[in-house]
């Protein structure tokens, strides 16, 4: 085989490998909830801020905006748990109606330390909605998806028998520099015996 032929074969093989790598990267990004997926002139699928899967049928995020609606449709949500006291925007309400999604609103004020007051009864009521599989798939969100959402998810983790260090690690991963000692103290002291467990979910020690 001549040198020119060998060179062309090698270049063809390299191009084939590069095409395979591109395909793998695209598939991987979709499976990991890529922040943006663009295919030709199709819609962009953009998750809300701080979006993540909590467990089977349970998701968390910051406040979803109209740019996130196409992505939320892919989740086939039945319910949304909204943890802020402000009225739900009209555009979001219309999105819920058109997709037959039920809204559960638990108005928790977004105070800053040292004036944080986390109402245990309200967190317990929100957990009861999360634990009812008839509401799944469900999205839990507040404004930034950090403190109020973090407290609800943290208390859910205690119900799942996660150790406190794992509960705090997850909370801090989303809250980052905004992590609050008062939130973590609340999760530590939360009495899980006051919440009936009717939801089979993942465990972590």
């Amino acid at each position: 085989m001549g040198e020119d032929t060998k060179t062309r074969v090698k270049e063809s093989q390299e191009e084939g490998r590069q095409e395979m790598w591109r395909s793998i990267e695209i598939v991987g990004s979709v499976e990991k909830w890529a922040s943006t997926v663009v295919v030709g002139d199709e819609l962009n699928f953009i998750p809300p801020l701080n979006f993540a899967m909590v467990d089977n049928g349970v998701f968390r995020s910051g406040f979803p905006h109209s740019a996130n609606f196409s992505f939320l449709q892919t989740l086939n949500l039945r319910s949304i748990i909204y943890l802020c006291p402000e009225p739900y925007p009209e555009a979001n309400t219309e999105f819920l109606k058109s997709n037959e999604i039920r809204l559960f609103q638990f108005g928790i004020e977004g105070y800053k330390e040292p004036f944080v007051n986390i109402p245990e009864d309200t967190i317990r009521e929100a957990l009861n909605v999360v634990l009812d599989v008839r509401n799944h798939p469900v999205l839990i969100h507040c404004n930034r998806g950090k403190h109020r959402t973090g407290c609800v998810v943290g208390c859910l983790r205690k119900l799942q028998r996660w150790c406190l260090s794992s509960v705090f690690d997850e909370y801090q991963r989303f809250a980052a520099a905004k992590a609050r000692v008062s939130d973590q103290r609340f999760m530590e002291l939360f009495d899980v015996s006051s919440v009936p467990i009717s939801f089979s979910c993942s465990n972590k020690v």
Side-chain angles (χ1 to χ4, degrees):
M1 185 182 293
E3 289 299 323
D4 290 345
T5 303
K6 289 181 180 179
T7 301
R8 284 196 295 272
V9 170
K10 184 176 181 181
E11 289 175 348
S12 177
Q13 290 173 339
E14 289 295 330
E15 289 174 358
R17 280 197 291 268
Q18 289 174 1
E19 185 64 35
M20 181 178 66
W21 292 334
R22 283 197 291 270
S23 298
I24 291 172
E25 287 169 359
I26 291 171
V27 171
S29 67
V30 172
E31 291 176 348
K32 293 173 67 176
W33 309 104
S35 59
T36 306
V37 179
V38 183
V39 183
D41 295 328
E42 296 292 325
L43 292 172
N44 294 346
F45 294 96
I46 306 173
L49 176 73
N50 265 337
F51 175 84
M53 183 176 182
V54 177
D55 211 296
N56 294 328
V58 182
F59 305 92
R60 63 177 293 168
S61 75
F63 202 99
H65 299 285
S66 57
N68 311 128
F69 291 169
S70 295
F71 175 83
L72 293 183
Q73 285 179 316
T74 68
L75 304 179
N76 297 314
L77 295 173
R78 285 186 183 176
S79 311
I80 283 181
I81 296 175
Y82 174 45
L83 300 172
C84 302
E86 295 79 16
Y88 222 43
E90 184 177 351
N92 293 62
T93 301
E94 289 301 318
F95 172 76
L96 299 189
K97 289 180 180 177
S98 62
N99 290 276
E100 298 182 344
I101 301 172
R102 184 176 179 183
L103 177 67
F104 295 89
Q105 182 171 2
F106 300 96
I108 301 174
E109 295 289 345
Y111 296 117
K112 295 183 178 181
E113 289 186 311
F115 305 107
V116 176
N117 177 29
I118 305 168
E120 185 170 339
D121 288 345
T122 305
I123 296 293
R124 190 179 298 110
E125 290 173 8
L127 282 173
N128 286 332
V129 175
V130 176
L131 294 170
D132 189 343
V133 294
R134 293 173 297 181
N135 297 321
H136 294 182
V138 58
L139 172 69
I140 309 165
H141 81 81
C142 51
N143 187 24
R144 308 292 292 179
K146 295 180 178 181
H147 304 118
R148 287 166 283 196
T149 299
C151 285
V152 171
V153 173
C155 292
L156 174 65
R157 296 310 193 194
K158 287 191 68 176
L159 284 167
Q160 294 177 295
R161 300 186 183 282
W162 280 32
C163 66
L164 276 177
S165 61
S166 295
V167 173
F168 294 161
D169 284 346
E170 182 179 45
Y171 168 83
Q172 291 163 5
R173 193 160 64 247
F174 288 91
K178 299 291 186 179
R180 295 173 176 170
V181 174
S182 55
D183 288 348
Q184 294 171 83
R185 185 182 301 116
F186 173 83
M187 290 183 280
E188 180 179 3
L189 299 176
F190 183 77
D191 181 12
V192 295
S193 67
S194 63
V195 181
I197 300 178
S198 58
F199 167 42
S200 177
C201 44
S202 304
N203 292 319
K204 183 174 179 179
V205 179

